[in-house]
Amino acid sequence: MRDGLRLALGGFGVLVALFLMLPILIIIPLSFNPEPYFSFTGAMLRLEPEGSGRGVITGASALYDELRRLTEADLGDVPPSGTSLSSLRA
Amino acid sequence: MTRQRRAWGLVTPLLVFIAAVFIVPIGSMLWRGIHDTEWAGLLPRTSAALAARDGAEAPPSAALIGDLLEADEAGRWPALSLRLNREGGGLQSLFRVTLEGLRRGDRKLGEIDSRWLDAASWERLATMVRPFTAVHLLNALDLRLDDDGGIVWQEDGRRLYLALFLRTVLVALGVTACCLLLGYPLAYLMASAGPRLRGLLLFVVMLPFWTSLLVRTTAWIVLLQRKGVINDLLVSLGIVGEQGRLALVYNMTGTMVAMVHVLLPFFVLPLYSVMRGIPAAYVRAGASLGARPLHVFRRVYWPLTLPGVSAGSALVFILALGYYVTPALVGGRTGQLISNQIAFHMQRSLNWGLAAAIGGLLLLLVIVIFAALSRVARLREVAS
């Protein structure tokens, strides 16, 4: 078979392979997206870490901070981090 | 004899399994399409009396009065009303008026509503409550029984299923054609590539198989939606304006694209296995005898790949005919297929008889198409 035809067929085959693969590859980063809808945010497209996958971790750490703040406010006296359990019992 | 018995012993568990999980459920579903026992539960005395009634006998008014009062007392009127509404033809209003009269204390049906004096009303009721009914099958073909028992088309606003059957067949044909156009070069590339590229391409083709159908369909929503990747790309390239974003999902386009993506591996894999078995020397021999590449393809390669093409096409076409999840998720209002109507009648309207009739007709359609395809294939064998 002529090289040109072979190249065209190969190129088309690669495009079809991309068609099969791309949707799955594209949805992977979105599964880490903290947005309520499946969409790429502006920050994600600018490749800013807060807008992309790390947003989940940012969100989780914000939740953690908030919980910590609430707990401290309610309980008042929270032992400093690194305090061992045995010292608390004592 | 012992050997035969042993062979049966080996085969029997499989036969029992196939009968239990395949033949019995499908058979009972098809049976439901023509056998209706709902009336025997809703109006037990009336349906029994009408079944035993000779044409000359007086209509079983007492049985109907008893059934209606009992249904009202037992709280079965909503179910009865729903079923009467499904039958159409003003029966629901007739029964409602009758029940209101009975609640007032009237016990003469003819005085409550003069329609009960008409023998045609009783005939209609008798046809309706028969355990064996063609009503669901007729309904599934956009037909109905008129007051004289003749078969007529549904009114214009109620015709739905024939158009949906046609749409389903056209979508299945379109998806099969797209799979042929996209899958043939890919399968060829896989069959003629070196081991490394072949492994990579096989991985790519198998990748959708390893991913949940829901994930793949959701991925297409992400790509095709108005604020999705493809529309964003088109806007950023200036091909369409911000206001002119394309509606690529929740319509037939979305259904087609997602279905081709899901079904393409089913086309590529059988075709690839057939292409792998074709010796490269055949094509080289054709070329060395002076044929142009397209001529070699048309006279040598294409005929040899036909078994793979027909196997892949049949697989994709049959799967596409009964496709449900993808059209339900990305089809919107205009991209729904006949299987979505079956699901609607099974889950929402609870008209299992109609769902069974549509399912039965779909099965019949598949069998007819398959028989026609195999006949064409055999004719081709004879011709060659």
Side-chain angles (χ1 to χ4, degrees):
Chain A
M1 202 176 283
R2 282 179 189 164
D3 282 348
L5 193 60
R6 186 180 280 273
L7 203 69
L9 256 174
F12 189 73
V14 170
L15 281 182
V16 177
L18 279 178
F19 166 74
L20 279 172
M21 203 170 50
L22 269 186
I24 298 159
L25 293 185
I26 276 176
I27 203 169
I28 292 172
L30 287 181
S31 54
F32 296 100
N33 182 351
E35 295 291 312
Y37 301 105
F38 277 124
S39 57
F40 284 94
T41 60
M44 285 179 88
L45 293 175
R46 286 191 299 275
L47 299 178
E48 289 170 6
E50 285 74 23
S52 63
R54 286 176 60 187
V56 177
I57 299 163
T58 315
S61 73
L63 182 72
Y64 175 77
D65 288 345
E66 185 69 9
L67 278 174
R68 204 179 150 84
R69 193 183 63 77
L70 285 171
T71 326
E72 277 173 13
D74 286 343
L75 298 176
D77 196 17
V78 175
S81 61
T83 312
S84 71
L85 200 62
S86 53
S87 74
L88 279 176
R89 283 208 186 104
Chain B
M1 192 64 190
T2 324
R3 280 185 65 159
Q4 205 173 3
R5 209 173 290 162
R6 209 178 293 157
W8 271 110
L10 278 172
V11 173
T12 307
L14 182 65
L15 286 178
V16 170
F17 177 77
I18 289 175
V21 304
F22 198 69
I23 296 171
V24 172
I26 290 179
S28 72
M29 185 202 76
L30 295 180
W31 182 246
R32 209 180 261 276
I34 51 167
H35 188 248
D36 190 351
T37 51
E38 199 180 356
W39 284 115
L42 290 169
L43 300 172
R45 276 176 291 234
T46 314
S47 47
L50 284 170
R53 179 182 172 225
D54 188 0
E57 281 177 33
S61 309
L64 182 62
I65 291 170
D67 276 342
L68 276 177
L69 287 171
E70 196 182 290
D72 191 32
E73 220 166 83
R76 285 203 305 268
W77 170 246
L80 182 60
S81 172
L82 189 74
R83 183 62 210 264
L84 287 164
N85 184 36
R86 212 182 284 156
E87 297 292 335
L91 272 175
Q92 193 191 24
S93 82
L94 174 60
F95 269 68
R96 200 184 56 241
V97 170
T98 310
L99 185 64
E100 279 164 11
L102 292 175
R103 280 173 182 161
R104 283 196 305 269
D106 288 352
R107 288 295 180 267
K108 287 195 173 155
L109 292 181
E111 285 175 15
I112 298 172
D113 196 306
S114 59
R115 280 176 282 181
W116 288 120
L117 297 173
D118 187 0
S121 298
W122 288 100
E123 276 305 313
R124 181 110 210 279
L125 194 60
T127 318
M128 197 173 73
V129 300
R130 271 183 208 143
F132 286 97
T133 175
V135 168
H136 298 310
L137 280 172
L138 291 175
N139 245 339
L141 291 167
D142 286 340
L143 297 165
R144 68 180 172 87
L145 291 173
D146 66 359
D147 292 341
D148 305 324
I151 296 172
V152 292
W153 288 107
Q154 289 276 19
E155 297 96 25
D156 278 343
R158 292 174 72 104
R159 284 186 210 166
L160 171 69
Y161 301 111
L162 280 185
L164 264 180
F165 269 114
L166 183 68
R167 185 196 283 176
T168 307
V169 171
L170 288 179
V171 166
L173 280 175
V175 168
T176 312
C178 289
C179 283
L180 174 66
L181 282 177
L182 299 180
Y184 200 94
L186 181 62
Y188 175 75
L189 191 67
M190 283 163 67
S192 59
R196 219 180 216 180
L197 182 60
R198 181 184 305 146
L200 184 70
L201 288 173
L202 254 177
F203 170 76
V204 169
V205 173
M206 298 296 278
L207 190 67
F209 273 135
W210 300 335
T211 322
S212 155
L213 180 65
L214 280 173
V215 172
R216 279 177 278 164
T217 310
T218 316
W220 278 113
I221 297 175
V222 173
L223 283 166
L224 299 175
Q225 63 191 341
R226 266 184 200 278
K227 294 264 180 187
V229 177
I230 291 177
N231 264 315
D232 280 349
L233 197 69
L234 291 176
V235 169
S236 64
L237 291 175
I239 296 171
V240 295
E242 187 63 45
Q243 300 303 318
R245 284 173 176 263
L246 305 175
L248 298 171
V249 76
Y250 306 124
N251 52 24
M252 193 49 83
T253 315
T255 303
M256 286 286 289
V257 171
M259 278 176 76
V260 169
H261 179 251
V262 173
L263 293 174
L264 191 56
F266 290 96
F267 187 89
V268 171
L269 291 175
L271 184 59
Y272 162 71
S273 70
V274 169
M275 282 179 173
R276 283 275 287 161
I278 299 172
Y282 287 4
V283 176
R284 279 203 300 271
S288 70
L289 289 170
R292 288 167 174 277
L294 271 178
H295 195 72
V296 175
F297 173 75
R298 200 165 56 82
R299 296 299 297 268
V300 179
Y301 200 72
W302 171 255
L304 286 171
T305 56
L306 270 183
V309 170
S310 53
S313 303
L315 204 58
V316 168
F317 183 75
I318 303 293
L319 283 172
L321 272 183
Y323 230 67
Y324 163 63
V325 178
T326 304
L329 286 175
V330 299
R333 200 170 53 81
T334 54
Q336 299 292 307
L337 302 180
I338 197 74
S339 47
N340 301 99
Q341 276 299 315
I342 298 177
F344 171 77
H345 287 303
M346 288 300 288
Q347 293 164 352
R348 300 275 182 84
S349 78
L350 301 181
N351 190 351
W352 286 17
L354 181 56
I358 302 173
L361 284 176
L362 189 62
L363 183 65
L364 190 71
L365 185 73
V366 170
I367 292 170
V368 167
I369 290 172
F370 223 90
L373 276 180
S374 63
R375 194 148 218 205
V376 169
R378 204 169 300 150
L379 274 179
R380 200 187 312 118
E381 274 172 25
V382 172
S384 64

